[in-house]
């Protein structure tokens, strides 16, 4: 079999997914794969960015914080360096054939689009991109001949077993249940950022950790699956599976159910996307079902975790509502992490923003946004509304 050969760019190289991508690349290189690195980017963690550059030897390095440009240049002699949002987009636009989109939040949309528009293979970890502009991004990929490779473990699982897309009856996305799966609501009200970020299975960035604790992560994933696989929200179920071994299931019209299993380790879906359509040789922990003994499943408690219902409702309304939901959630999670908002108020902010849309707006919201500018306008308006809602709740 021929060795894996790629020219790659990693957007968000210093994050949890970014670091796992570096680990995969190092292992593939050690096994004889030829992975050239075109560009890497980060938000502001310069020390980690410099370390990644030392390992990967990229041609171009971009940091979002403009004030870090001078220090970044000094720390990276012989490498082209840029700073600011445009530099992040420039990194995505450079000619890598595979781009890992692992920036967190809607901030990742513009660079992801740049990679899509030049027809790259885009490994998509940044789910907020799809939640705020799914139909537009997918149409742009079709126009440019780009391939979207889902990295989110659930969507990667579905992608792996989606043998007959026209014969799908429904999808089931599994959820670990997060750190508060068994907590009574009263205890959740007092949850701290530290408790919310202590995920029982996965070690991830702060934003997605909080999303996993509210189950908004599963709500965003439902929307992500709806757009990626063109399955209506009503035919996408969420199932709590605390062991996180079955990563998702596809139910076919003949009653067969195909699932993908594996140890919970993001290097698995990342390496799948990197080697696609082949498979890589990677030393992730192997599954030992006898040692596990039992896999358990339960229905999510939507009363304690209202984010799921909110995401489903937004998905039913349409792409503008999912963009507004995403923006509201980003603001609420940031306020919670900054100690300005209670844990159980996070979904309340998102609900306020969705409820605040008047009937005229709602009719508008049922139509698909036709441009990325429109998405940006919705994102901005929803952020403003969410700031107001969060402030009102904090003052109450
Ligand atoms: P993280 O917070 O650990 O890393 C985010 C990365 O984006 C960092 O490199 C950061 O410097 C960069 N960044 C942040 N803001 C930026 C900005 N404004 N401009 C440019 N760069 C910016 O997050 P993560 O856990 O690695 O998650 C990244 C994405 O992948 C998220 O969308 C998340 O939902 C998704 N995802 C993560 C996991 C996981 O296991 N961590 C699993 C599935 C999906
Ligand atoms: Mg996931």
């Amino acid at each position: 079999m021929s060795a894996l050969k790629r020219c790659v760019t990693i957007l968000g190289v210093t994050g949890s997914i970014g670091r796992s991508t570096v680990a995969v690349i190092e292992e593939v290189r050690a096994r004889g794969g030829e992975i050239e690195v075109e560009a890497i980017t980060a938000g502001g963690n310069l020390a980690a960015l410099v370390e990644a550059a030392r390992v990967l030897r990229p041609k171009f390095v971009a940091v979002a914080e403009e004030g870090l440009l001078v220090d970044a240049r000094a720390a990276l002699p012989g490498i082209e360096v840029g700073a600011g949002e445009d530099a992040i987009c420039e990194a995505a636009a450079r000619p890598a054939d595979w781009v890992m989109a692992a920036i967190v939040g809607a901030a990742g949309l513009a660079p992801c689009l740049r990679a899509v528009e030049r027809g790259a293979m885009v490994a998509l970890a940044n789910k907020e991109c799809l939640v705020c502009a799914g139909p537009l991004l997918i149409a742009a990929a079709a126009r440019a001949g780009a391939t979207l490779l889902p990295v989110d473990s659930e969507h990667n699982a579905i992608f792996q077993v989606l043998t007959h897309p026209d014969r799908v009856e429904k999808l089931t996305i599994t959820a670990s249940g997060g750190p508060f799966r068994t907590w009574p609501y009263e205890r959740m009200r007092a949850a701290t950022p530290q408790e919310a970020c202590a995920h029982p299975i996965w070690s991830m960035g702060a934003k997605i950790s909080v999303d996993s604790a509210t189950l908004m992560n599963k709500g965003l994933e439902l929307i992500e699956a709806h757009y990626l696989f063109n399955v209506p929200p009503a035919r996408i179920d969420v199932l709590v599976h605390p062991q996180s071994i079955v990563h998702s299931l596809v139910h076919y019209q003949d009653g067969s159910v195909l699932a993908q299993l594996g140890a919970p380790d993001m290097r698995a879906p990342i390496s799948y996307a990197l080697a696609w359509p082949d498979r890589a040789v990677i030393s992730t922990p192997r599954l030992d079902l006898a040692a596990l003994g039992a896999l358990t499943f339960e229905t999510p408690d939507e009363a304690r975790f209202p984010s799921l219902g909110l995401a489903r409702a937004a998905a039913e309304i349409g792409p503008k509502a999912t963009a507004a939901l995403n923006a509201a959630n980003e603001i609420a999670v940031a306020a919670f992490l900054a100690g300005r908002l209670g844990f159980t108020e996070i979904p309340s902010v998102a609900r306020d923003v969705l409820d605040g849309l008047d009937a005229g707006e709602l009719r508008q919201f049922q139509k698909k946004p036709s441009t990325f500018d429109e998405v940006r306008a919705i994102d901005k308006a929803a952020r403003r509304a969410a700031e107001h809602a969060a402030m009102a709740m904090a003052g109450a």
Side-chain angles (χ1 to χ4, degrees):
M1 187 164 291
S2 60
L4 181 54
K5 215 171 163 171
R6 292 261 185 275
C7 173
V8 311
T9 282
I10 307 166
L11 307 172
V13 73
T14 57
S16 163
I17 293 288
R19 291 193 307 273
S20 294
T21 307
V22 176
V24 166
I25 289 174
E26 282 189 282
E27 182 169 353
V28 167
R29 278 178 172 172
R31 293 179 187 277
E34 291 173 39
I35 311 289
E36 246 186 81
V37 180
E38 179 65 35
I40 59 174
T41 79
N45 185 347
L46 190 55
L49 183 60
V50 170
E51 173 55 21
R54 193 189 59 74
V55 174
L56 298 173
R57 302 180 300 276
K59 296 188 186 118
F60 182 64
V61 173
V63 58
E65 259 181 56
E66 301 199 16
L68 292 174
L69 181 61
V70 174
D71 288 350
R73 285 211 168 118
L76 296 163
I79 298 182
E80 205 183 328
V81 178
E85 267 177 55
D86 288 351
I88 305 282
C89 284
E90 188 195 330
R94 292 174 68 119
D97 47 45
W98 189 90
V99 177
M100 167 53 78
I103 292 173
V104 59
L109 176 58
C112 179
L113 181 63
R114 295 296 287 270
V116 163
E117 282 175 340
R118 59 175 184 76
M121 283 191 272
V122 178
L124 203 59
N126 180 199
K127 69 192 83 186
E128 294 91 348
C129 266
L130 279 171
V131 174
C132 55
L136 286 174
L137 205 62
I138 287 164
R143 268 198 310 275
T147 308
L148 296 179
L149 299 162
V151 169
D152 213 348
S153 55
E154 299 75 5
H155 307 72
N156 185 266
I158 292 169
F159 186 72
Q160 291 197 35
V161 297
L162 197 56
T163 54
H164 296 73
D166 297 338
R167 292 287 178 222
V168 171
E169 195 164 82
K170 67 170 191 172
L171 305 176
T172 297
I173 302 177
T174 52
S176 71
F180 305 150
R181 182 174 60 90
T182 59
W183 284 32
Y185 187 77
E186 274 313 306
R187 190 175 169 203
M188 281 165 60
R189 280 167 61 99
T192 64
Q194 201 188 1
E195 288 168 326
C197 289
H199 197 278
I201 304 273
W202 303 96
S203 156
M204 311 178 285
K207 196 263 177 180
I208 183 176
S209 295
V210 176
D211 285 346
S212 298
T214 58
L215 287 205
M216 181 58 91
N217 183 49
K218 230 26 75 175
L220 300 178
E221 290 183 356
L222 185 151
I223 297 166
E224 183 185 9
H226 162 51
Y227 291 146
L228 267 178
F229 305 117
N230 198 21
V231 172
R235 290 203 278 119
I236 306 176
D237 287 348
V238 171
L239 190 61
V240 174
H241 167 43
Q243 299 82 17
S244 296
I245 296 297
V246 178
H247 295 304
S248 278
L249 309 97
V250 178
H251 306 247
Y252 288 97
Q253 289 167 339
D254 63 357
S256 281
V257 183
L258 298 194
Q260 186 262 347
L261 284 71
D265 186 322
M266 287 309 291
R267 287 177 300 162
I270 292 169
S271 72
Y272 183 85
L274 182 65
W276 183 87
D278 196 359
R279 280 181 185 272
V281 182
I282 286 285
S283 59
T284 46
R286 284 351 189 202
L287 194 55
D288 183 344
L289 288 174
L292 274 162
L295 300 178
T296 60
F297 302 91
E298 56 197 69
T299 307
D301 177 353
E302 297 207 16
R304 275 184 310 132
F305 299 102
S307 299
L308 261 185
L310 283 174
R312 200 179 279 285
E316 293 287 359
I317 298 170
K320 293 191 181 181
T322 62
L325 175 79
N326 178 68
N329 182 58
E330 284 194 31
I331 292 297
V333 170
F336 168 69
L337 286 170
R340 290 190 281 113
L341 193 71
F343 178 76
T344 50
E345 286 166 339
I346 299 172
S348 307
V349 168
R351 185 189 306 279
D352 257 34
V353 171
L354 287 181
D355 285 352
L357 309 168
D358 67 25
E361 274 176 318
L362 209 55
R363 265 195 304 282
Q364 270 298 104
F365 270 58
Q366 279 160 344
K367 291 195 215 134
K368 292 186 176 180
S370 50
T371 64
F372 284 96
D373 281 346
E374 221 175 331
V375 170
R376 274 185 280 275
I378 295 159
D379 178 87
K380 210 168 149 189
R383 277 170 203 270
R384 242 191 340 258
E387 288 286 6
H388 281 133
M391 245 149 46
M393 281 175 210

